[in-house]
Amino acid sequence: MSRSARSAFLLAGLLASAGVAHFVSPKQFDATVPESLPGSPRTWTKASGVAELALAVGLVLPATRKASARATALFFAGVFPANVKMAYDWRGRSPKAQAIAYGRLPLQIPLILWARSVGRADS
């Protein structure tokens, strides 16, 4: 397996794990849904879980890898407001919890870059 295919599979594994977690433990994800979004937080949790699972499948399939990688980069940018909300909501928690919440914010950048590199490697 090529390095680019391994990278795509690793990213797919990350997305699939997160997608499954949205259904196994939805309450933690519900809490990060910004109140400005219409509908119930659970609907957004389920929708984002389905999106992550679909993106994971798309990354595994060579025919859809490039488009899925681009969509994954956009998805990572799109969920950034949830991470901001989490950091804001956790500002009164323990220093360890705050470090986790604030640490997630810059993590979006390498995730976006990783998805973009998977899409370019497949070109």
Side-chain angles (χ1 to χ4, degrees):
M1 179 182 299
S2 71
R3 183 176 177 197
S4 62
R6 269 194 312 274
S7 184
F9 274 77
L10 285 170
L11 183 56
L14 175 78
L15 284 164
S17 297
V20 168
H22 278 70
F23 292 96
V24 172
S25 184
K27 202 172 198 177
Q28 68 181 3
F29 297 99
D30 293 348
T32 67
V33 176
E35 286 106 26
S36 60
L37 291 175
S40 75
R42 183 60 50 93
T43 300
W44 288 100
T45 295
K46 288 179 180 179
S48 61
V50 168
E52 287 171 325
L53 292 169
L55 290 167
V57 170
L59 289 169
V60 169
L61 302 172
T64 57
R65 185 169 296 148
K66 185 175 181 178
S68 294
R70 289 180 177 169
T72 298
L74 292 172
F75 177 82
F76 285 145
V79 298
F80 184 73
N83 292 342
V84 170
K85 182 182 184 307
M86 180 181 170
Y88 180 79
D89 289 347
W90 286 23
R91 69 193 181 284
R93 291 194 180 186
S94 71
K96 182 179 177 181
Q98 289 179 33
I100 290 168
Y102 288 114
R104 288 176 55 123
L105 297 176
L107 183 61
Q108 293 304 113
I109 295 167
L111 289 173
I112 291 166
L113 295 174
W114 184 10
R116 289 184 59 195
S117 74
V118 166
R120 281 195 300 268
D122 200 52
S123 297

